[in-house]
Amino acid sequence: MQKFVLFTDSSSDLPITLINELGIKMVQLTVTLEGEDPKTNDLVNTKEFYDALRTKKSATTSTPSINNFIEAFEPIVSAGNDMLYLGFSSGLSGTYNAGAVAAAELSEKYPDRKIFTVDTLCASLGQGLIVYSAAKMCENGAAIEEVRDFVENNKLNLCHWFTVDDLFFLKRGGRVSAATAVMGTMLSIKPVMHVDNAGKLINVEKARGRKAAIEALLKNMRESHTDIKTQPVFISHGDCLEDAEYLAERIKTEFGVEVLVIDYVGPVIGAHSGPGTLALFFYGKQR
């Protein structure tokens, strides 16, 4: 069977240990913290990044260019490997589209190679979870078409449920109005959000206080999960490990499963969601 290489991008927020263990190739987005030079996710001290956000430093992010993708893809393809790129939701970023254009150009240049891309319509460890599943299929000898089709057929069952602690980060990104941010902060309103079938961020409900927001995450898992004991569960957090561990313990107690990955929301996503973000990812009946 022809060997192939699995690519994703750094919006997947996968821990470096898993990336290395599973042989996943990563294309980096960049983040620029106020007063500093742009850095790729892997060169940012995530704890220090969130500390800086708490002091009201601003951060901006940039997608890889088509040339960045070609520089990452071509050495793999020219060495005789097929490749599959699983990209950050096109509903949230232009990253996937740049990767798809690069892949199309390389397909013309290397017509004997299989060069596939999938818009996962996922973000953060939701993207990471479907990439993880694809990588495990690779380990077990699945063909590139099987892995591509699995992702296409299951990406709309990848549930993203999360809450944020500071509404002003959503205001900066245009997700809520200034008035909503001010009033919500005064009343301790915590939005409960998800990523919809178009890969876009949607505000689903409002919780009064952090505890109620965490209960809402559990409620949504309870209502939509499928065969949870056989599926991996991931949690990401914006420098609020204690809350992430509490959520993981509640999941273990109620559903009898261990959360496989608990890790930071990476700086590229965290620049838009802010400190205190708590996110839960699993496979369900629907998003």
Side-chain angles (χ1 to χ4, degrees):
M1 185 178 297
Q2 172 64 41
K3 179 182 177 183
F4 73 97
V5 175
L6 185 64
F7 274 88
T8 190
D9 53 66
S10 57
S11 294
S12 62
D13 287 344
L14 281 167
I16 190 64
T17 50
L18 270 184
I19 292 167
N20 293 336
E21 176 187 324
L22 296 171
I24 300 165
K25 298 292 185 182
M26 188 74 65
V27 180
Q28 294 286 341
L29 284 79
T30 61
V31 62
T32 305
L33 194 61
E34 184 181 342
E36 298 184 7
D37 294 329
K39 292 181 180 178
T40 53
N41 248 20
D42 57 328
L43 297 179
V44 178
N45 182 304
T46 311
K47 171 66 176 171
E48 291 178 2
F49 176 79
Y50 280 107
D51 287 343
L53 293 185
R54 289 189 176 99
T55 67
K56 306 305 179 185
K57 279 194 173 183
S58 63
T60 57
T61 59
S62 298
T63 62
S65 68
I66 294 169
N67 283 339
N68 291 149
F69 275 102
I70 289 175
E71 288 168 3
F73 293 166
E74 189 162 19
I76 300 299
V77 176
S78 65
N81 301 295
D82 297 334
M83 57 151 285
L84 171 61
Y85 166 56
L86 306 180
F88 184 23
S89 172
S90 63
L92 294 170
S93 169
T95 301
Y96 170 75
N97 291 331
V101 170
E105 289 186 12
L106 291 173
S107 290
E108 291 184 6
K109 187 173 179 180
Y110 300 93
D112 294 335
R113 298 271 60 82
K114 295 175 182 177
I115 303 173
F116 299 141
T117 68
V118 179
D119 180 357
T120 68
L121 301 174
C122 295
S124 189
L125 276 180
Q127 179 184 348
L129 177 48
I130 206 159
V131 171
Y132 169 83
S133 300
K136 297 302 283 187
M137 291 181 70
C138 296
E139 273 194 340
N140 292 328
I144 189 171
E145 293 88 353
E146 290 180 82
V147 179
R148 176 199 61 193
D149 293 347
F150 168 84
V151 176
E152 286 284 12
N153 294 334
N154 288 276
K155 64 188 184 183
L156 296 186
N157 297 100
L158 205 299
C159 299
H160 303 57
W161 287 102
F162 68 99
T163 186
V164 301
D165 197 45
D166 188 337
L167 288 167
F168 286 95
F169 285 90
L170 295 182
K171 179 188 78 69
R172 289 176 195 167
R175 304 295 179 184
V176 300
S177 68
T180 297
V182 171
M183 187 60 67
T185 300
M186 290 173 60
L187 298 175
S188 193
I189 298 298
K190 308 298 180 186
V192 178
M193 312 179 82
H194 84 140
V195 174
D196 69 5
N197 285 353
K200 296 183 177 180
L201 191 60
I202 301 296
N203 194 350
V204 178
E205 57 187 287
K206 298 175 182 176
R208 192 73 176 268
R210 183 70 161 184
K211 183 177 180 181
I214 293 174
E215 292 300 326
L217 299 182
L218 288 163
K219 172 183 70 73
N220 284 302
M221 186 178 206
R222 197 176 296 126
E223 292 174 352
S224 59
H225 79 79
T226 54
D227 198 16
I228 196 68
K229 290 189 177 181
T230 65
Q231 303 289 352
V233 177
F234 286 6
I235 292 173
S236 62
H237 66 92
D239 198 31
C240 53
L241 179 59
E242 187 175 332
D243 286 347
E245 290 177 337
Y246 171 75
L247 177 59
E249 186 60 33
R250 290 288 305 277
I251 290 168
K252 180 180 179 181
T253 299
E254 178 167 346
F255 302 101
V257 296
E258 297 276 358
V259 173
L260 185 62
V261 172
I262 301 175
D263 206 7
Y264 278 105
V265 178
V268 166
I269 302 291
H272 302 284
S273 59
T277 299
L278 184 62
L280 173 61
F281 308 98
F282 57 92
Y283 287 100
K285 292 173 278 210
Q286 60 185 21
R287 287 196 175 184

